[in-house]
Amino acid sequence: MTRRYRRGLTWLALATVSGALWAVSPLQPLAKEALGALKAREDNRAASVASYLGGIKATFGLKASDDIREVRRSTDEFGKTHVRFVQTYQGTPVWASGLLGHLDAYGTPEPVQAKVFPDINLETADLLTREEVQHYSLQRLGITETKLPVLVDKIVFPTRFQDGLKLRRNADGQLVIDESYSVATARKPQPYVWAYHVVVREGQVGEGACTEMILDGTTGQVLKKWDGRTYDTPAVGHSQYNGTVNLSTNPFDWVNGWQDSWGPNLMPPSGTYATLRDTTRTMNHNPIWATSAPYMDVPGIATYWADNYYATSLNNNSVPFLNAGTEWGDGMPFAGFAAGNQAVTIATANLTVNGQTVAVDATYGVVSTWDFFKNVFGREGMDGQGTPPAVFVHVNNGFYQSMTPMLNAYFVSYNQSMYFGDGDLSQGYGPFASMDVTAHEMGHGIVAASGDLFNGYEPGGINEATADVFSAMTRFYFWGPNQGTGSTIPDTAPHAPLEDAVWTTGRQITQDHSAIRTMYKPSLDGYSYDQWFDGMYLDDVHFTMGPGNRAFYFLAQGASTTKGDLTYSPLLPGGMAGIGNDKAARIWFRAITTKLADPHMDYQGLRTILIETAAELFGEGGTEVTAVKNAFAAVNVGASAGGTEPVLVSIPPQIEVGDDDGGVAWHSVTNGFVIVPMTGVAQVLPVPTIARATDLEYTWSLGGLSKAVVNLGGKIIDGKSFIAPGLNKKFFGLKVTSHQDPNQFAATVAYVCNMDTNSDTEFDALDLAAYALSWGRFTAASPSSAVPLVDVTDNSWVDDNDILMAREAFTKSFNH
Amino acid sequence: MKNWNSLIAAPFLLVFLACGGSSSRTASTPEKATSMTYTDPVPAAGEWSLLKDPAASTPTRLVLNLVGPTGTLFRGVGFNLKVDSQKVTFSTFKDGNGVSLGYMNDKGILHDLDDASKAVPCLASAAGVKGDTLSVGIWQKCLRFTGYPSYYGTPTGTALMNDAMDCSTTPVLQVALDLGKDVLPGEVSMVISKAAIIPNHGKSVDLPLSATVRVGTLALK
C-alpha cells in the first residue's frame, strides 16, 4: 500500500530568515520632531533597505535572474522604516513571495523576513495575450461581460499552490463544496509556470462578485480562484448606531467629470450642496479611481450611494450624497423607497434624508477607526500613507442576485474600499454600518496593506481575526472612559451602547441584539472553532478566525480556571492572566504591520511573529511573551510557556483506500478532498494514515447513511461498516479523535462517488467517456437515462471541475 | 504493515538459506533478450489496431500508434491493454521540454479547432497503469443535443465540439513499452481486454460503443 504525504513536504525552496536578533531591551517611541524628520527621508531610507536586501539576496538563494520590487513602506513610532517587497523573476512578480526589510532610526538594517522561491528556472514561452486572458477569464466564470475591465497581472506561479477546495455552509448550516471558489485539477508537474493573476469584477464598484483567479499563462487553465472580497459575516440591527456625531463634509462641485458620468436623469437638483467627504484626515487621493472612475478621483474619504441600489436609474454609477443643509440623516432605520418605485434619481435619492442615515453611520465609523489607528499607533490610514478608502452604502446584491438586500459588508483590497449593505429588517438585520462592522472592514485594510494575506484557509481566518481584534479595540477606545481620546486602549467600555458589545460582533445590527460572533467563545455561534485542528482550514474564514479571536481575548483579558466558564480552555486548564487590551493590541498591530512576510501564514506563523514582537516591545523574558505563548496554547497552537508541544492529530491529504477484500478501490485527495469510487457492490472507505494511528477513534458522518465508529489498531477492523449499495454520490465528513487526549482531533471531508460509469465493476479510462458525454450538461436536462450524467461535485451540472476531478481520480487510482 | 511483513518473511528466508547453502550446483547464465520485435496486426473492416511506429521505436522501446478504420469518424477512444509485465513495462512520454506526458502521447487530433476557444478544456483524457494493465482513454467534449444549456456563453443548442476525426491515416495516440531488465527471449503476451469508442453517428445522443482493437505479436530476442 503506497502512502503519499503531500502536505508534509518540506519546502526546501523556502528561505526564511527572521527574528534571530530580537531587541535586547524594549523599544522607545521617538519624539514627534525626530519621527517627522525620519519620515521626510523615507524615500532614501526605503532605497537603503532595497539596496541592503539586494546585497544579501544570495543569502536567500536568489540568483541573478531574481530581483525584488518594493510594494509598500511605512515608518513606525519607534523610527523604524519597514519596506515590503515581492520577489521577481526576470522582472515578473512571483506569486506568494514576500520580503520585509527594516531600517532602524539610526539607519542600520535589521533582520529580514523573507519567503522566496530560489529555484525558479523558467524558459520564455509563447503566452496568451492580455486580451485572451480577459476572454478566458470570463469564459471560466460562465459570464459574458463585466462592467469594469478585468485586471490582468503576469506572474510566476509556484504550482504547489495550485488547486484548492473551499467549503461553505448551506441554508441548513451543513458544509458543502463551494464550486465558485474551488479548483481541483491534476497537479502540474512543473514547480513553476508563467501565469496571470486576474481580478474579475462583474459589476460596477461595489456590485456583484469580485473573483480572483490564477490562469495558466499558455493554456488559460484555471489554477486557483478565490473570492476577491473580504467580508464581514451577516449581521446587525438598528439604524442609527452612533447617536449624534460630528461629520466633516465638503462642497460638491462639478469638477472631475461628474456631469459626463451621469445620464440626464441623474442630474442633481439645482443649488449648492455639501457632500460627505472628509478631508480633515487626509487630502490624498485613492489612486485606483484615477483610471477606473475618474469622477471619484477626489481628495479625502468620500461616501457614496452605491451604484447598484437602483442600477437602472443610477446609470451604474455610484453617486455622492448631497445635502443643501448642515443636518444629515434622520437617525431612523432605512425604510427604502416605496415599493415599485424604481425611478429614483440622484435628486430623489439624496433628498431622502432617511437614506442619508446609514451614510452617516458608515462615515462616522470609518473616520473614527482612522482616528483610532492614528492616535494609538501613529498610523496614517490603512496603508500608513494616508490613502483614503472610498465608502459605499446601500449596497445590494446586484443584478446577479435580483438586487436583493445585502446582509453583509465587505472590504476590497485592490481599491482599498469598503461596502456596507442595508440589511433587511424583515430578516432581523439592520444596516451593516455599526462601528463593529466599519472598524472590522478597516481592519481588513490594515492587513491588506501590510501583508496581503491570502483570502482563504488559515491566512483568511487570521485576516478575519485580525479585523475583529482591531474592531474590538476601536470600540474600547471610543466606548471607554476617555471616549476616543488619548493614545491608549482601556480595558473597560462604560459607554458601550449594549451589554457585552465590545467582545462580540453584531449586537447593534441584529434586532434581538444577539451576537453574530463572540471573541472569547467563538463556538457560541454554532459554527466557529474555539481551537485549531488539522482540517479546520477547509471551512469558511469567518469560522476559522475562531482560534485567533479567542487567543487575543485570552492574551488581553486572561482565561478562566473554572470548567464551564466561557473563557475556560481545556487546553490550558490552569488559566492565565491577561496583559490588558493596550499591550495585547500593540503586539498584534506591530506583528501584522511589520513582520507579516508570508502571504500564506498559518496560526503557527502568527504565534511566532507575535512572540517576536512581544519580545521586541516588552523584553524577551517578560510576562508578555509568556502570555502570548499561553494564549495560543489555549487554542491548540504551540506549547504553553514552559510546557511541551501538544501531540497533534493530523490527516495527510493523501488517504489510502484499502482493498483488503480484493475489491476495486482507490483514492484521490486534493487539499483534503477525497473522491471514493463506488463499485456498486461494496465499498471500503479510506483509512487515514495518521500520527498516533493506534490511538485514534474514527467517527464517520455519512450524510444519510448510518454512522459508525471504527477503532483502529493500525488496520481496518470494521471497514465494511460503510457498505453503501446504490449510493451514487455523497458528501461526508470525517473526524478523527485521539483516545488518549480527546482535546486533540482532526477532520477532513470526502466525497463518495460512483465512477464506474459503464457498470463493468472497474474504474478505468474507458469510464471517462461518460464524463466527456456529460460535459456541459445540466443533470436535470437529461433526455434519457441511458445518457451518463456524471456530476461529481453535485453542482447540478457537469462542469470542468467534474471532468478534472474524474481524471485526477482515475490517475490516482490506476497508478499504484 | 511494513514491519509485520518483515517479521513474517524472516523465518522463511532462513529456511531457504539453510537449504540452498547445503547444495552445490553450477548453472550457465542464460542469454538475455536485447531487443523487441513487433509484428503489426491485420485488422478486419471496422476494427482498430495498434501499429508499430518505426521512427519512434528503438530495439528496446516499442512505440505503438493507435490507428482507426478507414473512413470512420469518431469522437473518442479508449482501451485496456494487458501485457506480461515481467518481460516488458509500460513506458512514459516526454514533451520537447522534458516534461512528462504520462503513459499516453496524445497526438493532438482530438481537439476543438476553433481558435477562439482554444483554451476551453475539451478533452477528458487519461492514461494509467495498474499491475499488468494499461488503461488509456481520450474523449472529446460531447456533441450537441436538444436542450443543451448555455455554456461559456454558447447559445442553447449549439454544439461545443463539432469536429469528428478520421484517424485512419493519422494516429490518435501512442503508447509505449520498454524491454524489461534481464528477461529471457520469447513471446510476450499482449491482450486488449476491453475497448470502446464514441462514434460519430450523427444522432442527437451519442453513447460509447464497444470496439475491437487489434494488437500484433511481440517477441523478445
Side-chain angles (χ1 to χ4, degrees):
Chain A
M1 188 178 287
T2 306
R3 309 264 192 236
R4 300 184 183 92
Y5 300 85
R6 278 200 305 209
R7 204 188 307 164
L9 287 175
T10 302
W11 288 8
L12 295 175
L14 219 59
T16 301
V17 177
S18 68
L21 301 172
W22 297 337
V24 175
S25 55
L27 297 170
Q28 298 298 323
L30 290 189
K32 189 177 178 182
E33 296 73 20
L35 190 57
L38 281 178
K39 287 187 174 181
R41 300 204 310 272
E42 209 173 52
D43 282 351
N44 290 338
R45 289 168 59 79
S48 296
V49 175
S51 173
Y52 172 70
L53 273 179
I56 64 168
K57 69 179 185 180
T59 309
F60 312 124
L62 298 183
K63 305 181 294 291
S65 53
D66 301 306
D67 209 338
I68 58 173
R69 179 184 299 170
E70 182 183 334
V71 178
R72 57 183 70 92
R73 67 179 77 152
S74 63
T75 299
D76 64 26
E77 70 268 35
F78 306 109
K80 295 191 176 191
T81 297
H82 312 279
V83 190
R84 181 174 178 79
F85 303 85
V86 292
Q87 176 191 352
T88 62
Y89 176 77
Q90 295 179 2
T92 301
V94 179
W95 200 76
S97 68
L99 301 94
L100 268 175
H102 316 269
L103 211 62
D104 71 11
Y106 306 101
T108 306
E110 296 201 329
V112 170
Q113 293 84 36
K115 178 171 181 176
V116 296
F117 302 87
D119 57 346
I120 304 172
N121 185 18
L122 276 174
E123 301 290 333
T124 54
D126 183 18
L127 299 180
L128 299 170
T129 65
R130 287 178 181 275
E131 290 71 25
E132 286 174 321
V133 172
Q134 291 168 341
H135 174 69
Y136 298 140
S137 298
L138 301 191
Q139 282 188 328
R140 297 295 185 258
L141 295 173
I143 58 177
T144 55
E145 61 177 344
T146 59
K147 291 181 183 173
L148 294 172
V150 176
L151 305 177
V152 178
D153 286 317
K154 181 183 169 188
I155 60 169
V156 172
F157 182 67
T159 54
R160 71 191 62 169
F161 295 109
Q162 185 181 336
D163 295 344
L165 187 71
K166 181 180 184 300
L167 304 183
R168 64 176 172 82
R169 302 274 176 173
N170 64 14
D172 298 326
Q174 298 168 323
L175 280 171
V176 295
I177 299 167
D178 187 348
E179 282 250 27
S180 298
Y181 302 113
S182 294
V183 177
T185 65
R187 188 62 54 91
K188 284 185 171 293
Q190 311 95 311
Y192 304 96
V193 293
W194 296 109
Y196 289 100
H197 175 195
V198 300
V199 182
V200 181
R201 301 160 296 174
E202 291 186 22
Q204 186 59 269
V205 283
E207 174 194 280
C210 175
T211 304
E212 297 193 44
M213 296 190 291
I214 306 292
L215 266 57
D216 184 283
T218 54
T219 67
Q221 177 192 357
V222 177
L223 302 177
K224 199 172 191 68
K225 61 179 173 177
W226 64 96
D227 193 346
R229 301 166 291 190
T230 39
Y231 290 89
D232 188 10
T233 43
V236 218
H238 299 299
S239 58
Q240 186 174 5
Y241 301 116
N242 298 295
T244 302
V245 296
N246 294 321
L247 293 171
S248 178
T249 65
N250 273 266
F252 173 76
D253 61 45
W254 287 94
V255 185
N256 300 308
W258 284 107
Q259 197 162 6
D260 295 337
S261 299
W262 295 343
N265 290 337
L266 305 179
M267 293 290 285
S270 60
T272 301
Y273 298 96
T275 187
L276 280 176
R277 182 160 58 88
D278 184 310
T279 56
T280 63
R281 268 86 179 175
T282 179
M283 282 291 287
N284 289 357
H285 293 231
N286 183 322
I288 193 76
W289 308 124
T291 52
S292 64
Y295 66 95
M296 292 165 61
D297 185 18
V298 291
I301 304 167
T303 302
Y304 299 91
W305 189 301
D307 58 356
N308 70 338
Y309 184 75
Y310 288 128
T312 52
S313 55
L314 290 184
N315 202 26
N316 304 330
N317 286 311
S318 296
V319 296
F321 282 87
L322 304 181
N323 190 344
T326 56
E327 299 281 331
W328 293 79
D330 61 2
M332 299 298 292
F334 181 55
F337 291 100
N341 179 9
Q342 296 288 309
V344 63
T345 67
I346 188 172
T348 57
N350 278 289
L351 295 178
T352 303
V353 176
N354 177 239
Q356 297 171 352
T357 305
V358 66
V360 172
D361 279 310
T363 305
Y364 174 75
V366 169
V367 298
S368 296
T369 311
W370 183 291
D371 292 346
F372 163 74
F373 282 110
K374 181 168 184 179
N375 296 347
V376 175
F377 301 117
R379 178 92 165 185
E380 289 280 352
M382 296 177 291
D383 62 359
Q385 305 295 308
T387 302
V391 181
F392 299 90
V393 296
H394 294 308
V395 179
N396 277 347
N397 283 325
F399 295 123
Y400 305 100
Q401 296 179 51
S402 305
M403 305 298 290
T404 50
M406 189 174 83
L407 279 63
N408 214 331
Y410 60 86
F411 172 82
V412 173
S413 59
Y414 84 85
N415 59 14
Q416 296 191 57
S417 296
M418 36 199 105
Y419 303 81
F420 302 99
D422 276 336
D424 184 351
L425 292 176
S426 69
Q427 297 185 55
Y429 296 98
F432 281 64
S434 53
M435 185 177 281
D436 51 355
V437 179
T438 52
H440 173 98
E441 302 309 335
M442 194 116 164
H444 278 311
I446 298 284
V447 177
S450 301
D452 245 355
L453 275 176
F454 178 72
N455 190 28
Y457 307 130
E458 284 193 38
I462 293 169
N463 191 350
E464 289 298 329
T466 301
D468 274 356
V469 164
F470 292 148
S471 170
M473 294 301 97
T474 301
R475 282 172 280 156
F476 268 109
Y477 183 71
F478 281 95
W479 296 345
N482 297 324
Q483 292 184 274
T485 60
S487 59
T488 58
I489 305 168
D491 287 315
T492 60
H495 299 285
L498 294 164
E499 189 181 348
D500 195 23
V502 277
W503 291 113
T504 60
T505 297
R507 289 196 191 278
Q508 286 185 284
I509 301 172
T510 53
Q511 290 197 286
D512 60 0
H513 300 312
S514 58
I516 293 170
R517 286 209 285 267
T518 304
M519 293 182 73
Y520 50 81
K521 185 70 173 174
S523 61
L524 287 178
D525 66 4
Y527 301 120
S528 297
Y529 303 104
D530 288 341
Q531 68 173 71
W532 180 93
F533 61 93
D534 183 42
M536 178 191 76
Y537 68 95
L538 288 165
D539 208 339
D540 186 274
V541 295
H542 300 93
F543 306 129
T544 61
M545 54 76 211
N549 275 3
R550 200 162 203 231
F552 181 82
Y553 178 87
F554 289 156
L555 178 63
Q557 298 294 319
S560 170
T561 57
T562 306
K563 257 184 184 175
D565 278 2
L566 293 176
T567 60
Y568 171 81
S569 167
L571 296 158
L572 194 72
M576 64 175 285
I579 60 173
N581 288 344
D582 192 72
K583 282 185 174 178
R586 288 183 191 285
I587 293 170
W588 204 285
F589 174 84
R590 185 167 180 80
I592 291 294
T593 54
T594 68
K595 297 187 186 304
L596 179 49
D598 180 0
H600 285 75
M601 181 178 72
D602 59 13
Y603 273 111
Q604 282 286 354
L606 175 63
R607 175 183 182 271
T608 299
I609 63 173
L610 288 170
I611 291 172
E612 289 178 7
T613 308
E616 190 178 64
L617 289 176
F618 303 108
E620 204 162 339
T623 55
E624 294 79 6
V625 170
T626 298
V628 172
K629 290 178 180 174
N630 287 339
F632 275 77
V635 296
N636 207 27
V637 181
S640 60
T644 56
E645 288 287 334
V647 180
L648 303 174
V649 177
S650 62
I651 302 175
Q654 294 282 15
I655 295 179
E656 289 292 340
V657 173
D659 54 0
D660 295 4
D661 298 339
V664 177
W666 56 269
H667 76 283
S668 178
V669 182
T670 303
N671 285 346
F673 186 70
V674 187
I675 304 171
V676 181
M678 297 295 296
T679 60
V681 181
Q683 179 59 48
V684 183
L685 285 181
V687 178
T689 53
I690 33 189
R692 303 174 63 170
T694 58
D695 170 41
L696 298 171
E697 177 181 272
Y698 289 65
T699 304
W700 294 85
S701 173
L702 281 166
L705 298 176
S706 60
K707 295 183 179 179
V709 175
V710 183
N711 293 314
L712 296 182
K715 62 177 182 176
I716 301 171
I717 291 178
D718 192 18
K720 281 197 172 180
S721 296
F722 311 106
I723 294 173
L727 180 68
N728 188 41
K729 55 192 177 186
K730 201 80 177 180
F731 179 78
F732 65 95
L734 164 65
K735 184 177 179 183
V736 185
T737 307
S738 165
H739 277 171
Q740 291 178 359
D741 182 0
N743 292 318
Q744 293 298 342
F745 55 88
T748 189
V749 292
Y751 204 88
V752 178
C753 184
N754 184 0
M755 300 285 194
D756 178 20
T757 62
N758 57 12
S759 301
D760 63 357
T761 72
E762 286 186 302
F763 178 53
D764 52 30
L766 278 64
D767 290 305
L768 296 179
Y771 287 88
L773 291 173
S774 302
W775 205 341
R777 290 177 174 173
F778 281 107
T779 53
S782 170
S784 162
S785 59
V787 176
L789 285 165
V790 193
D791 176 14
V792 178
T793 52
D794 207 10
N795 194 38
S796 83
W797 73 307
V798 183
D799 61 11
D800 296 354
N801 252 355
D802 293 308
I803 305 300
L804 294 166
M805 282 194 215
R807 190 165 65 180
E808 173 84 343
F810 163 76
T811 304
K812 286 284 174 5
S813 75
F814 222 79
N815 290 323
H816 78 281
Chain B
M1 188 68 85
K2 198 177 271 184
N3 291 337
W4 186 83
N5 280 336
S6 300
L7 288 171
I8 296 300
F12 283 104
L13 182 63
L14 291 173
V15 171
F16 175 78
L17 287 175
C19 295
S22 63
S23 64
S24 58
R25 291 183 298 168
T26 56
S28 60
T29 305
E31 195 173 334
K32 305 287 172 53
T34 56
S35 66
M36 295 188 286
T37 301
Y38 182 79
T39 306
D40 284 343
V42 181
E47 293 182 340
W48 295 64
S49 48
L50 283 169
L51 306 179
K52 180 178 179 178
D53 186 328
S57 298
T58 68
T60 58
R61 178 178 167 88
L62 172 64
V63 178
L64 298 172
N65 290 328
L66 178 65
V67 177
T70 304
T72 299
L73 299 181
F74 75 106
R75 297 172 185 281
V77 59
F79 61 85
N80 288 0
L81 171 61
K82 190 173 182 181
V83 301
D84 184 346
S85 61
Q86 300 294 314
K87 298 178 177 175
V88 293
T89 56
F90 292 109
S91 182
T92 57
F93 295 86
K94 289 182 178 177
D95 70 7
N97 295 320
V99 176
S100 176
L101 300 172
Y103 290 104
M104 173 176 66
N105 186 20
D106 166 14
K107 300 298 287 182
I109 70 166
L110 278 177
H111 59 91
D112 194 333
L113 299 179
D114 178 4
D115 282 343
S117 57
K118 69 178 182 182
V120 175
C122 57
L123 282 179
S125 62
V129 170
K130 192 175 192 177
D132 288 346
T133 303
L134 165 71
S135 184
V136 298
I138 181 165
W139 313 98
Q140 234 176 25
K141 186 177 280 183
C142 62
L143 185 60
R144 171 211 327 259
F145 79 94
T146 307
Y148 202 84
S150 175
Y151 185 61
Y152 289 153
T154 307
T156 298
T158 302
L160 293 177
M161 295 296 299
N162 261 331
D163 306 310
M165 305 309 297
D166 179 351
C167 63
S168 56
T169 53
T170 307
V172 61
L173 60 87
Q174 292 179 323
V175 297
L177 293 164
D178 284 343
L179 177 62
K181 217 175 176 186
D182 298 334
V183 295
L184 302 178
E187 293 275 318
V188 178
S189 165
M190 295 179 73
V191 177
I192 298 289
S193 56
K194 72 172 90 161
I197 64 165
I198 299 177
N200 179 50
H201 49 52
K203 295 180 181 176
S204 60
V205 176
D206 285 324
L207 290 173
L209 296 178
S210 293
T212 299
V213 176
R214 293 289 176 194
V215 63
T217 56
L218 176 60
L220 307 184
K221 293 184 178 175

